[in-house]
Amino acid sequence: MSHEEIIKKEKIYFELVTRLGSEMLENGGEIFRTGDVMTYAAHALGLKDFNTFVIANGIFASMLTDSQMYSCRVRYISLSPINICRLEALNTLSRRIAAGLNDPSEIEAELDKIHSLQSSNNLIKIISAGFGSGGFCYLFGGSFFDALTAFCAGCILYIFVLYLLPKLSLPKIMYNIAASIIAVCACILLHFIGLGDQLDRITIGALFLLVPGIALTNSFRNFLENDYLAGLVRLVDALVTAGGIAIGVGIATALFL
Amino acid sequence: MEILFQLIAAFIGTVSFSILFSTPNKYLPQCGLVGALGWGVHLLTLNVTGSSVTAIFAASAILTIYSRYLARFYKVTTTLFLISGIFTLVPGAGIYYTAYYTITGLEETALYYGMSSLKTAIAIGLGIGVAYSLPPELFGWKRRS
């Protein structure tokens, strides 16, 4: 293999490794795990002196090219919802790379496939949003009727979340305000026509679809795993999200109650 | 009877949120069991000790151990079961109440909910940390050379 070919191959591998890492982070992978996966993959693909620094919304990676110069790659990753089936597929892929898969085109095809992987369609998501709201409404002390009302409110909220809100392309805080206004309006409306008893229980059930509980927990997990920067980013994100939801609830209650 | 209904609600809630997190369909029942186990341990510990933070800590440690066992059994990542499983414990309602009472002007109530969400999140983090610190050999993994 000629000199240029080696450099070209190193570049392709470097791109694939950083892409693997950013896909993993984007779909909710843990910070330390993302770093580990990239390092193992780079090692298996023969990249020299590979180093990476991962935070919640960015990846910085560098390696030694051609034994004399350092290449560096920075990737920005937006904080986005967790997608476990993609995470699992990426994990399988990283295991295959560690076990010796080194054909660049095959890895790339696999990454493309994972990028659009979905485990269920929108109808199932809407129904399960309803069941989730109902279940948590009951856990937070609601009655069966409250849970049933929360089920309807959760379904209504998710219809808006899946079909209407993406079309508006709102900034994140406006998105949260709009979504929580919809949720609370749905709850108030259902309560008004006679479904359910305790409005605040129903509301918390429906809002459970939006609140950043996992984000807050993950942020503290990052602190405890020494990823302070990642933890801070997630903490601020969780606080901003919660603030947006609270503002939305405030607006909706001021309008209707 | 009430406890049974609560466990069923925790199971349903966890499975639903697993679907929203796009968990592969074949692992959904296991995710639900992890969630129900977490909530069960939480209720039990809360009853025995009366301390919410201890209950959350114990529940998250035990459900993480169970997730690690399942992850080994099905040869997948622990995260798959863990993220859905801790959903019954995370301070989602707490952080919402904190923000809500802050903007409605009830600072003291907001502080109370804020501190309790903070403690819950730290307890979950510690619980997961403790369970992750157990040696992988306990779950049948071979040590990476």
Side-chain angles (χ1 to χ4, degrees), chain A residues 131-192:
Chain A
F131 273 112
S133 303
F136 279 99
C137 172
Y138 187 78
L139 282 188
F140 281 104
S143 66
F144 275 118
F145 288 111
D146 293 340
L148 198 69
T149 317
F151 174 87
C152 303
C155 290
I156 294 170
L157 168 64
Y158 236 68
I159 292 170
F160 279 95
V161 166
L162 287 177
Y163 292 106
L164 182 70
L165 290 179
K167 288 200 182 108
L168 300 175
S169 62
L170 294 166
K172 193 164 186 176
I173 182 139
M174 292 302 154
Y175 176 95
N176 285 318
I177 293 175
S180 57
I181 289 178
I182 292 165
V184 177
C185 286
C187 292
I188 291 175
L189 202 71
L190 289 165
H191 188 252
F192 181 72

Side-chain angles (χ1 to χ4, degrees), chain A residues 54-130:
Chain A
V54 184
I55 59 171
N57 57 354
I59 289 179
F60 311 83
S62 79
M63 69 152 194
L64 190 61
T65 331
D66 195 20
S67 309
Q68 51 183 336
M69 273 190 296
Y70 280 99
S71 306
C72 177
R73 205 149 193 253
V74 179
R75 298 206 58 156
Y76 170 76
I77 289 117
S78 56
L79 294 166
S80 41
I82 296 166
N83 189 317
I84 294 178
C85 68
R86 286 182 206 162
L87 210 56
E88 185 44 39
L90 288 164
N91 200 52
T92 313
L93 177 64
S94 84
R95 259 183 224 161
R96 280 177 64 201
I97 294 173
L101 174 73
N102 60 4
D103 178 16
S105 55
E106 197 181 336
I107 299 174
E108 189 160 13
E110 197 75 24
L111 281 171
D112 286 338
K113 206 172 83 188
I114 291 169
H115 189 71
S116 53
L117 205 62
Q118 273 299 344
S119 74
S120 50
N121 59 28
N122 282 354
L123 181 68
I124 294 176
K125 279 193 175 162
I126 290 168
I127 293 171
S128 56

